[in-house]
Amino acid sequence: MGSTPPQTPPYATARLLRQRLGDDVWLPVQGESMRPTIIPPAQVRLVAQARPRVGEVWAFVGAGGHIVVHRCERRTPSGYVFRGDGWAAADPVASLDVLIGRAIAVRDDRGERRLGGIDRVRGTSRYLARWARRAGRWAVSLISRGARSG
């Protein structure tokens, strides 16, 4: 009978990767969740930083042990909420111990470019637009319910 090797806890993987951030670290990324900001196949350049700010793109180790690169949406008492730019659902809250580093540049088929202030504004505006659409749908449903009952 074979046994499954123990899985490395997310915080241990993140700690090992954070130790590498003194080097010039380019992390290969796959997946569609960060479209249109990152189009795979791509690489992101990671740097050490203390804490995420809203709108910044960060790498972290998700609950399943996979490395995730998503944008910081907000801070909560227990950690940070991230979401892919092209993703409808937010990720589970990520604590500080699973964060790896901030993505400051991306290389994809469009070339190499920095992920700085303008990118942060664009990413945050996508988040705000998503909430505005939800609020609009909610308001329309309230109005239509009121019209039917009146």
Side-chain angles (χ1 to χ4, degrees):
M1 209 183 275
S3 64
T4 305
Q7 188 175 16
T8 305
Y11 67 86
T13 302
R15 184 178 58 236
L16 290 170
L17 292 169
R18 277 193 305 269
Q19 291 171 354
R20 295 287 318 237
L21 292 185
D23 304 331
D24 191 26
V25 175
W26 284 89
L27 177 72
V29 293
Q30 299 295 320
E32 302 289 326
S33 64
M34 279 300 289
R35 276 187 183 268
T37 305
I38 302 170
I39 299 177
Q43 297 176 318
V44 292
R45 182 173 182 220
L46 300 179
V47 296
Q49 189 169 317
R51 297 177 188 275
R53 294 183 347 191
V54 171
E56 292 178 339
V57 177
W58 273 69
F60 61 96
V61 181
H66 299 301
I67 298 172
V68 179
V69 177
H70 281 170
R71 190 175 304 278
C72 181
E73 190 172 275
R74 68 185 184 277
R75 182 178 179 188
T76 70
S78 57
Y80 295 86
V81 175
F82 292 89
R83 180 191 309 258
D85 286 355
W87 221 242
D91 301 308
V93 174
S95 59
L96 272 175
D97 62 348
V98 299
L99 301 182
I100 299 168
R102 180 178 168 212
I104 62 164
V106 62
R107 286 183 193 150
D108 59 21
D109 288 342
R110 298 172 290 179
E112 184 176 321
R113 65 196 176 287
R114 292 194 55 76
L115 295 175
I118 294 297
D119 169 72
R120 189 172 167 217
V121 169
R122 285 183 187 139
T124 303
S125 66
R126 285 187 201 105
Y127 166 71
L128 294 174
R130 193 176 302 128
W131 276 104
R133 284 191 299 274
R134 286 181 186 164
R137 287 192 299 265
W138 177 75
V140 167
S141 72
L142 283 179
I143 291 168
S144 66
R145 276 191 233 149
R148 282 184 284 199
S149 66

